[in-house]
Amino acid sequence: MSGQEVRQVGIAPGTRDFRRANAAMVLAAFATFASLYSVQPLLPILAADFGLDAGASSLSLSVTTATLAVALLLASWVADRAGRKTLMVWAMLATALLGLALPFVPNWTSLLVIRTLMGLTLSGLPAVAMVYLAEEMSPDALGFSMGLYIGGTAAGGMAGRLLSGIVADLAGWRTSLAVLGAIILAVAVVFAALLPAPKNSARNRLSFRGFVANVAVQFTDKGLPWLFLSSFLLMGAFVTLYNYAGFRLAQPPFGLSHTAISAIFVVYLLGSVSSAWAGALSTRLGRRHVYWWMVAIMAAGVALTLAPSTPLIIAGLAIASIGFFAAHGIASAWVARRALVGRAQASAIYLFMYYVGSSLLGTLGGYAWVAWGWNGVMLVTGGAMVVALAVAVRLIFVQPIPLPEKPPAPPAGV
């Protein structure tokens, strides 16, 4: 009997395990991204409290995403050895404990140290989540479940930003981060109880040499490198857009409060809906035919934020969010589909580029803001979107892989 025949079909739609797995992964995505982006609406507050400019204050987010990017590749290797669920549970618990320590930092350096450590612990979930879904879900459930997980990241990013901004206005940024840390700890416990144990992903004592080989082989595929580049560009543009929208809207002629600025992140909910919808649509029509439209929608939203009107800026952010999360959900499933060997490493590379883009373009956007205002931010974000759209069009012509969604697993150590 072949390796393909002995593999289980996976979790089917409508089953108890399907509901439990999706609920657990949405909660995990929610908690992880709420923790990651909770400081984004606090950047103007942190800048004032610690005497920093916009570029320096953005380091509280950039150091986390930069560390997360580097740690993702290592986390994918650890997950092969320790087990998918084990790594995700411990990563969430450690993140919650570090989050609870943040309110007690005595200075800016201490805050950056903890946020850097959080980059390490946060890597445990995104490095494994997409691989868990790709291995455990049946082919007809993967697109929806991946989209739902991406939707959870959107909801978490929105809730973390909204909660931290509102509570910071009422009781200070330290209290807001303490409340968020307690919520993440509770979610981690529920996640551990809900998530079904993996059945299709045996632990693999992959040697470091085999790990490097698995990383290298991803760049021999005709589509994966383009998807990796797209990840860098889209996430970098998206984070830059939101990092400095708060600075712009706090200034005249807008003059919005921190609570009002944080409330704008409610448009993230549109991203939650669009990612699940786009995942199902791409399964029906084909990823290459849907993906570039989602990138184009995001680009249109970015362009709309140039308008000197609060309603139009918010509409632009909403449209950009819809396009971004839809494109990200499709690309995530696409990477898992094309990676025939070293799926964990392929997903890790995709996310590595995702967070490198967030760190590099996010920080670059801060210095562009200081130098040229919103036009400088648009120079960074708009430039990234032009290249991202060209890459999305290029992906239309990449030959699809005519193989099953769940190919045989490679031998251990290969």
Side-chain angles (χ1 to χ4, degrees):
M1 188 173 288
S2 70
Q4 179 67 27
E5 293 171 330
V6 300
R7 292 199 67 178
Q8 299 189 28
V9 173
I11 300 174
T15 62
R16 181 172 179 268
D17 275 355
F18 178 80
R19 292 188 292 271
R20 288 184 59 191
N22 280 323
M25 296 307 290
V26 167
L27 283 174
F30 178 93
T32 298
F33 287 83
S35 177
L36 179 60
Y37 292 111
S38 59
V39 297
Q40 197 171 46
L42 304 180
L43 295 182
I45 301 175
L46 295 173
D49 201 18
F50 291 102
L52 308 167
D53 61 26
S57 68
S58 72
L59 288 174
S60 59
L61 178 59
S62 295
V63 295
T64 310
T65 53
T67 309
L68 174 59
V70 175
L72 280 166
L73 290 173
L74 181 60
S76 71
W77 183 41
V78 173
D80 280 340
R81 301 172 70 87
R84 313 285 191 223
K85 182 176 179 178
T86 299
L87 179 62
M88 288 190 285
V89 169
W90 281 108
M92 290 186 64
L93 289 173
T95 297
L97 294 177
L98 286 171
L100 290 171
L102 268 178
F104 303 100
V105 295
N107 51 50
W108 179 244
T109 300
S110 301
L111 187 146
L112 291 183
V113 168
I114 292 181
R115 288 288 297 177
T116 300
L117 292 174
M118 288 179 75
L120 292 174
T121 60
L122 283 166
S123 68
L125 186 104
V128 181
M130 293 191 295
V131 180
Y132 175 93
L133 290 174
E135 291 173 340
E136 302 303 318
M137 292 295 177
S138 62
D140 55 342
L142 177 60
F144 175 80
S145 295
M146 193 73 79
L148 198 61
Y149 166 74
I150 299 301
T153 71
M158 179 275 294
R161 292 166 166 101
L162 183 61
L163 178 65
S164 64
I166 292 174
V167 177
D169 249 3
L170 297 174
W173 65 268
R174 294 179 187 271
T175 301
S176 73
L177 294 181
V179 170
L180 190 62
I183 292 173
I184 292 169
L185 181 60
V187 170
V189 174
V190 175
F191 170 77
L194 270 182
L195 188 69
K199 296 177 181 177
N200 290 338
S201 56
R203 294 184 187 180
N204 181 9
R205 297 290 179 179
L206 188 67
S207 68
F208 186 74
R209 183 177 179 181
F211 164 74
V212 172
N214 276 359
V215 170
V217 76
Q218 310 309 324
F219 294 93
T220 64
D221 180 81
K222 293 183 178 179
L224 287 175
W226 293 110
L227 289 167
F228 299 154
L229 177 58
S230 294
S231 177
F232 174 91
L233 294 166
L234 293 182
M235 183 56 169
F238 189 67
V239 166
T240 302
L241 186 70
Y242 271 97
N243 269 3
Y244 307 105
F247 284 96
R248 184 189 186 195
L249 293 171
Q251 294 182 348
F254 310 105
L256 299 186
S257 68
H258 292 301
T259 296
I261 292 171
S262 298
I264 292 172
F265 289 106
V266 170
V267 300
Y268 261 54
L269 290 176
L270 298 174
S272 299
V273 176
S274 72
S275 60
W277 164 76
L281 185 66
S282 66
T283 299
R284 194 163 67 248
L285 302 180
R287 296 180 180 100
R288 71 195 65 253
H289 301 302
V290 178
Y291 178 69
W292 78 270
W293 275 106
M294 301 304 108
V295 176
I297 289 172
M298 180 182 172
V302 169
L304 190 56
T305 64
L306 278 167
S309 161
T310 301
L312 289 179
I313 292 172
I314 295 172
L317 292 172
I319 293 170
S321 298
I322 290 171
F324 170 75
F325 285 108
H328 177 37
I330 293 170
S332 299
W334 206 346
V335 168
R337 170 71 175 93
R338 292 196 68 94
L340 302 182
V341 175
R343 181 175 277 162
Q345 283 69 51
S347 292
I349 295 169
Y350 174 84
L351 291 170
F352 170 81
M353 297 297 290
Y354 186 84
Y355 292 112
V356 168
S358 171
S359 298
L360 292 184
L361 296 187
T363 301
L364 179 62
Y367 291 107
W369 163 260
V370 172
W372 303 297
W374 194 248
N375 288 335
V377 174
M378 285 294 98
L379 183 65
V380 175
T381 304
M385 289 310 306
V386 169
V387 180
L389 187 56
V391 171
V393 172
R394 172 66 181 83
L395 280 164
I396 296 174
F397 303 100
V398 173
Q399 191 70 19
I401 296 177
L403 291 175
E405 290 277 352
K406 288 180 177 290
V414 176

